[in-house]
């Protein structure tokens, strides 16, 4: 670990500052957009529907990713990891769990849209709550396994962020990586692609699958724009949240 005031080995001052700045911008933008989505869901009764519960789950998970990025940004700007080895394990667990929840929530949203548009039946609360519960329980389960010895959390090469230690090549980590990738990346991807393909065939137009992110920490902003802020109903909810006079008129009507 780099000491206070020193740079991580192999990195220059400008590189560390650039990483910290990018992480800070992504963290603040993701937190702002997803917090607005959560606020609107809580304040606007029109948005409290089973399908929007899936979007809320995505916003919560992406807010968690942004908080994780904020810690990484702080460490990068400090040029060291200040939270110790236990803090590294907590940071790795929290980041991995919210990333998995975000991926699975996106797949749940894709399935929910398929169910709504292709079966012409509304998603009920029991199904939506069960989906959200499963998404978070499954994500917590897989994120806990490295803490129990299958897989491992460690600092990234920069030394200011903790995640899965991909540098390991032993059988333990390889078996964890391939098993985890099947259930948490390939399976959700399959569900997402099939759902939008079926929607495309049913509706005769191109679906809108989630945008693959080159930088994982940018996913919260992308998701907030794509799923939450891209919804006409959420637009109305945001306007009502930000306009007190509009809320008063709606209550009078």
């Amino acid at each position: 670990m780099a000491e206070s005031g020193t740079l991580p080995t192999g990195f220059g001052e400008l590189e560390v500052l650039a990483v910290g700045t990018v992480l800070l911008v992504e963290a603040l933008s993701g937190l702002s957009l997803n917090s607005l989505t959560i606020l609107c869901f809580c304040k606007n009764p029109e948005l409290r529907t089973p399908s929007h519960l899936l979007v809320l789950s995505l916003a919560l998970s992406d807010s968690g990713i942004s908080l994780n990025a904020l810690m990484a940004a702080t460490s990068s700007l400090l040029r060291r990891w200040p939270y110790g080895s236990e803090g590294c394990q907590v940071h790795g667990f929290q980041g991995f769990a919210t990333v998995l929840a975000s991926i699975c929530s996106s797949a749940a949203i894709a399935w929910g849209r398929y169910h709504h548009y292709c079966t012409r039946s509304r998603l009920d609360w029991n199904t939506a709550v069960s989906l959200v519960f499963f998404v978070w329980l499954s994500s917590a389960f897989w994120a806990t396994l490295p803490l129990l010895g299958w897989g491992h959390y460690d600092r990234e090469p920069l030394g200011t962020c903790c995640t899965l230690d991909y540098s390991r090549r032993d059988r333990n980590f390889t078996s964890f990586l391939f098993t985890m990738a099947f259930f948490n990346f390939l399976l959700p991807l399959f569900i997402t692609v099939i759902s939008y393909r079926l929607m495309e065939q049913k509706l005769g137009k191109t679906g809108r699958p989630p945008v693959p992110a080159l930088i994982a920490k940018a996913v919260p902003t992308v998701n907030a724009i794509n799923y939450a802020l891209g919804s006409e109903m959420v637009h109305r909810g945001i306007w009502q949240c930000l306009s007190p006079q509009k809320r008063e008129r709606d209550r009078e009507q």
Side-chain angles (χ1 to χ4, degrees):
M1 179 189 303
E3 299 296 332
S4 178
T6 65
L7 293 172
T9 304
F11 293 90
E13 180 83 35
L14 190 58
E15 292 174 306
V16 177
L17 179 62
V19 170
T21 302
V22 170
L23 285 173
L24 183 62
V25 171
E26 291 177 347
L28 294 178
S29 60
L31 275 174
S32 300
L33 293 174
N34 286 288
S35 295
L36 184 59
T37 301
I38 296 169
L39 177 66
C40 290
F41 182 89
C42 295
K43 290 203 166 207
N44 193 330
E46 290 183 8
L47 297 181
R48 295 175 202 156
T49 65
S51 60
H52 282 109
L53 180 65
L54 302 180
V55 177
L56 177 66
S57 175
L58 181 65
L60 289 171
S61 61
D62 286 345
S63 295
I65 297 175
S66 297
L67 287 173
N68 191 272
L70 188 60
M71 288 184 65
T74 302
S75 301
S76 297
L77 296 176
L78 289 174
R79 301 182 300 181
R80 65 186 181 89
W81 177 257
Y83 307 109
S85 58
E86 291 185 359
C88 180
Q89 297 302 303
V90 172
H91 186 253
F93 169 82
Q94 187 269 344
F96 192 43
T98 50
V99 165
L100 295 182
S102 177
I103 293 171
C104 293
S105 293
S106 297
I109 290 173
W111 180 85
R113 288 181 172 179
Y114 158 77
H115 182 272
H116 176 75
Y117 291 108
C118 295
T119 66
R120 298 300 179 183
S121 59
R122 290 183 177 274
L123 190 67
D124 61 78
W125 277 107
N126 287 336
T127 303
V129 171
S130 298
L131 279 173
V132 171
F133 180 77
F134 175 80
V135 162
W136 285 94
L137 184 63
S138 173
S139 300
F141 168 76
W142 285 100
T144 300
L145 292 178
L147 299 177
L148 301 178
W150 197 24
H152 184 68
Y153 293 122
D154 202 353
R155 290 186 300 277
E156 293 181 338
L158 190 62
T160 57
C161 180
C162 291
T163 184
L164 289 175
D165 185 4
Y166 294 101
S167 65
R168 296 200 171 199
R169 296 291 185 269
D170 57 17
R171 182 176 298 179
N172 175 285
F173 185 79
T174 302
S175 62
F176 170 76
L177 185 63
F178 278 95
T179 307
M180 179 275 299
F182 174 79
F183 286 104
N184 295 284
F185 291 97
L186 294 180
L187 193 56
L189 177 63
F190 175 79
I191 293 172
T192 301
V193 171
I194 292 299
S195 295
Y196 281 110
R197 286 292 185 186
L198 292 175
M199 284 176 59
E200 179 182 352
Q201 294 174 6
K202 182 76 173 179
L203 303 178
K205 62 181 180 179
T206 303
R208 292 194 305 156
V211 179
L214 295 178
I215 302 176
K217 298 296 190 294
V219 168
T221 303
V222 175
N223 283 340
I225 294 173
N226 187 35
Y227 288 113
L229 301 184
S231 168
E232 181 181 353
M233 183 172 288
V234 175
H235 281 164
R236 295 201 304 268
I238 291 174
W239 176 248
Q240 290 180 5
C241 287
L242 299 180
S243 177
Q245 293 181 349
K246 170 70 173 174
R247 291 200 301 269
E248 289 297 329
R249 287 199 299 269
D250 289 343
R251 279 197 291 266
E252 291 174 0
Q253 292 175 357

